[in-house]
Amino acid sequence: MGSVSLKIGDGTARFKRATFCSSAVNLLMLFSVITTNLFALYAFTSSPKDHTNHSLHLAHHKNISLISEQVSLILREIDSSQKKLTQMEKELLGYESIDLSQPNIPTELKNFLQHHQLPLGKDSRTGITEMVASVGHSCERSLDLLAQYMKYKVNGPCPDDWSLGQRLILQGCEPLPRRRCFAKSIPKVGLLPYPNSLWKNVSEKIYSWSGIGCKNLACLNSKKLNRDCSGCFDLVNGYEKERFVKVRGKNDFLIDDVLALGSGGTRTGFDIGGGSGTFAARMAERNVTIVTATLNVDAPFSDFIAARGLFPMYLSLNHRFPFYDSAFDLVHVANGLDIGGRPEILEFLMFDIDRILRAGGLFWLDNFLCTNDEKKKVLTRLIEQFGYKKLKWIVGERINGGGNSEVYLSAVLQKPVRV
């Protein structure tokens, strides 16, 4: 037999020449079919010689029918069990777990979450038959807040509820469902051209202060918002002007020193928990594009970073980073790596960081606070698990505001090439 090629979609199905083994199997099957038909013909045409042979024939036929019924029953039970297991898996993973029949579910949420059949049927490339809404599986646990978030007038202005959306994100409801309303638009008057925008504050009126305790930058600068942001909104008189270009302790690395360690150049980077965007600003001065992951916790971080002409990425660390593999030359993280909980949570985060960092790229751990010796050991073991090359590794102590000594770890690591 020759080979036959059928063009199906974008691929080709080929029927190759039969092997000796397959030919033998085909001959055996053909012989079985012929033999079976001959026996059947004999059974229907021949008359039984005596009553005993006839009874045996009927008993044999009855047994075959009984076995056939049992096999059919088993197959139906297997099919039913598979469907039940599939449904249980969906429920455990959170898919289709939101009961849209509840009376408190807004119509907009129902419209968004309902599956929509593809207009032309099954897609030949992906195999999908319907469009499924992208929404965090943990949204089901915050259904009341989610219902409140999805109550709005279609084609009207969105409620001033970004803080509600952020609350849902922090509770694992990420990504949020899309909405068909117009987000609040604040006039961005007085924005400065780049690169002047990097180090000059603009009018406070362009920021969204709703849901935030402070209503101006002076209030923010008087507080320690987190370990990496104390006065970080003061771009003129504060420490932000000196960060990454002047050292205050042995755990501080200079940007130029770190960039000199990179092989093949550094063009793009990802900053996790980047505060007011100063790391991205310093890198921008060196023609390196930085994406800063941030949330507006107690301050308009995203607004402020965008006003500086930089790129904020509004997501939590529970979210899988929306970047393709090996997308960045450098990943910078300070205490944003301290996500608490079980060691597995940190491990998931580290694997995602490793995924988006290219081979030979740099992982810069900047002044990570080791609150106890166990946390330092866990982080050290995890880093060694990835096999990164230690280009810089410094453990140092610093006296905090309460007069107590704290241990910090700073490191620059290079991702290996894996085959």
Side-chain angles (χ1 to χ4, degrees):
M1 294 175 63
S3 64
V4 180
S5 176
L6 296 179
K7 194 70 175 180
I8 302 177
D10 293 333
T12 302
R14 298 185 181 275
F15 300 90
K16 297 183 179 180
R17 183 181 300 275
T19 63
F20 174 77
C21 232
S22 62
S23 299
V25 172
N26 291 334
L27 288 173
L28 181 61
M29 291 178 62
L30 180 61
F31 176 76
S32 299
V33 171
I34 295 174
T35 303
T36 304
N37 282 283
L38 288 175
F39 275 113
L41 180 63
Y42 173 77
F44 281 106
T45 56
S46 62
S47 58
K49 295 181 178 180
D50 51 38
H51 181 72
T52 303
N53 290 338
H54 182 68
S55 299
L56 290 174
H57 176 76
L58 291 177
H60 179 67
H61 181 74
K62 183 178 181 181
N63 289 336
I64 293 177
S65 299
L66 182 61
I67 292 173
S68 178
E69 290 177 3
Q70 292 294 329
V71 170
S72 299
L73 179 60
I74 292 173
L75 291 175
R76 287 196 298 269
E77 290 181 351
I78 291 175
D79 183 63
S80 177
S81 298
Q82 287 179 339
K83 291 180 179 179
K84 289 180 180 179
L85 287 173
T86 301
Q87 184 61 32
M88 289 173 63
E89 183 181 17
K90 289 181 178 180
E91 292 175 355
L92 288 173
L93 293 175
Y95 303 129
E96 301 180 355
S97 60
I98 298 180
D99 185 4
L100 299 181
S101 65
Q102 297 184 37
N104 61 331
I105 301 295
T107 303
E108 275 297 278
L109 183 57
K110 294 180 180 179
N111 290 336
F112 180 78
L113 293 180
Q114 284 178 347
H115 296 185
H116 301 281
Q117 296 294 325
L118 295 181
L120 299 179
K122 183 178 179 180
D123 183 77
S124 59
R125 293 187 177 183
T126 62
I128 64 174
T129 59
E130 58 186 9
M131 296 299 295
V132 181
S134 177
V135 63
H137 74 276
S138 293
C139 291
E140 189 269 339
R141 302 177 184 175
S142 307
L143 194 54
D144 291 341
L145 292 178
L146 184 64
Q148 182 180 345
Y149 180 76
M150 292 300 289
K151 286 181 180 178
Y152 57 88
K153 183 179 179 181
V154 178
N155 294 326
C158 293
D160 188 9
D161 59 355
W162 71 264
S163 57
L164 173 62
Q166 181 168 276
R167 184 179 172 188
L168 282 166
I169 290 175
L170 292 174
Q171 292 182 5
C173 183
E174 188 177 31
L176 290 172
R178 288 173 172 167
R179 301 198 293 186
R180 295 187 294 173
C181 59
F182 295 100
K184 182 181 179 181
S185 179
I186 300 176
K188 304 293 183 179
V189 179
L191 290 177
L192 299 172
Y194 182 87
N196 295 334
S197 59
L198 295 176
W199 300 105
K200 290 185 179 180
N201 289 337
V202 294
S203 172
E204 298 172 341
K205 295 181 180 180
I206 71 169
Y207 308 132
S208 175
W209 297 98
S210 62
I212 297 175
C214 288
K215 303 300 179 184
N216 54 64
L217 297 180
C219 175
L220 294 177
N221 288 323
S222 66
K223 296 182 177 182
K224 185 176 182 179
L225 299 173
N226 54 60
R227 294 194 191 107
D228 300 317
C229 182
S230 179
C232 67
F233 289 90
D234 187 353
L235 302 182
V236 179
N237 302 313
Y239 173 64
E240 292 297 294
K241 194 70 175 179
E242 300 180 352
R243 288 190 70 188
F244 307 110
V245 293
K246 291 184 179 181
V247 298
R248 291 194 299 180
K250 67 176 184 178
N251 282 69
D252 294 334
F253 299 155
L254 300 180
I255 277 185
D256 291 332
D257 293 343
V258 173
L259 290 178
L261 299 173
S263 60
T266 302
R267 305 147 301 169
T268 59
F270 185 45
D271 188 17
I272 299 175
S276 59
T278 295
F279 178 79
R282 285 300 182 197
M283 283 294 190
E285 293 175 333
R286 290 154 177 80
N287 296 320
V288 179
T289 302
I290 299 292
V291 177
T292 303
T294 186
L295 289 173
N296 291 344
V297 179
D298 299 327
F301 287 105
S302 297
D303 287 327
F304 193 83
I305 293 172
R308 298 179 74 174
L310 303 169
F311 188 0
M313 177 67 72
Y314 192 72
L315 53 79
S316 73
L317 295 185
N318 298 321
H319 193 291
R320 184 180 190 269
F321 298 136
F323 306 112
Y324 191 64
D325 300 356
S326 305
F328 294 105
D329 303 313
L330 179 144
V331 174
H332 173 265
V333 59
N335 285 294
L337 198 64
D338 185 11
I339 56 179
R342 297 174 300 174
E344 292 86 353
I345 300 178
L346 175 60
E347 193 172 2
F348 274 110
L349 175 60
M350 278 296 300
F351 268 99
D352 210 25
I353 291 175
D354 179 82
R355 179 185 62 82
I356 65 174
L357 182 63
R358 69 167 174 84
L362 302 180
F363 174 55
W364 182 353
L365 185 60
D366 188 6
N367 281 280
F368 178 78
L369 175 61
C370 302
T371 53
N372 52 60
D373 192 56
E374 180 61 27
K375 178 173 288 188
K376 184 178 70 174
K377 290 180 180 179
V378 169
L379 180 59
T380 302
R381 286 196 299 265
L382 183 58
I383 290 174
E384 292 176 349
Q385 174 184 339
F386 285 87
Y388 282 28
K389 182 180 180 181
K390 296 179 181 178
L391 304 179
K392 295 175 75 72
W393 183 280
I394 294 179
V395 178
E397 294 185 1
R398 186 187 304 170
I399 304 300
N400 60 20
N404 299 318
S405 177
E406 295 178 332
V407 178
Y408 287 83
L409 170 62
S410 291
V412 178
L413 312 167
Q414 188 173 40
K415 179 179 175 178
V417 177
R418 304 190 188 101
V419 181

